[in-house]
Amino acid sequence: MAMAGLGFLLTHFDWLHVTLQVVGALYLIWLGLKMIRGAAKPLKTTGPTEVTWRSAMRLAYVVSMTNPKSVAFFGSIFALVIPAHAPIWLYCVIALTCFLLSALWYCGLAFFFSNPRVSDSFLRFKAGIERVMSAALILIGSRLLLAR
């Protein structure tokens, strides 16, 4: 939905393309800063639950596809990298790629972190991992913002 709407608007309003690029870069920087602030906060964990790996993957994917942050994230990326007058086939390829990558990523995470040893290890290194990922988002956003 984000791609279809943005594609239509970006082909008709060139100034909107530039605006969305700036807003997208600022969003990535803001997201990175927010992650840095929360990196040291412990996660609220619950006890183990009886969930099959299939239901965990299905739930992870449904949550990711219905999360407004996902739309904002993909929208900001699309605004930054898709040319203003991209052909329709490019939108189709991007939509399919996003679908497949999201399915692999979120379902893979659900499967991976359902292992108690993996989740315990992540909790030990959570702050460092989140700080590195935060710095990457800030650098990408800054680079995109300064490239204007």
Side-chain angles (χ1 to χ4, degrees), residues 4 19 40 47 60 64 76 107 123-124 133 140:
T19 302
S64 74
S76 65
C107 293
L123 290 175
R124 276 198 314 268
M133 296 311 296
I140 291 168

Side-chain angles (χ1 to χ4, degrees), residues 1 5 62:
M1 287 174 30
V62 168

Side-chain angles (χ1 to χ4, degrees), residues 15-133:
W15 62 268
L16 185 59
H17 187 256
V18 173
T19 302
L20 287 177
Q21 284 182 323
V22 171
V23 170
L26 292 173
Y27 174 73
L28 294 175
I29 294 168
W30 174 80
L31 192 58
L33 292 172
K34 185 177 174 188
M35 283 177 62
I36 284 177
R37 283 194 307 256
K41 293 179 185 175
L43 290 177
K44 295 176 183 142
T45 57
T46 60
T49 60
E50 293 297 322
V51 176
T52 66
W53 67 272
R54 282 189 178 130
S55 70
M57 287 193 293
R58 184 174 39 253
L59 179 63
Y61 189 74
V62 168
V63 167
S64 74
M65 290 296 104
T66 58
N67 185 346
K69 277 188 177 179
S70 293
V71 173
F73 179 77
F74 281 115
S76 65
I77 297 297
F78 294 153
L80 292 167
V81 298
I82 297 176
H85 301 286
I88 192 71
W89 66 264
L90 181 61
Y91 289 112
C92 294
V93 168
I94 290 170
L96 179 62
T97 303
C98 287
F99 174 80
L100 292 174
L101 288 176
S102 291
L104 287 172
W105 178 253
Y106 289 109
C107 293
L109 285 177
F111 180 71
F112 190 65
F113 282 101
S114 65
N115 181 313
R117 286 189 310 186
V118 171
S119 60
D120 291 342
S121 295
F122 172 76
L123 290 175
R124 276 198 314 268
F125 299 107
K126 172 191 171 296
I129 292 169
E130 288 189 3
R131 286 185 181 113
V132 168
M133 296 311 296

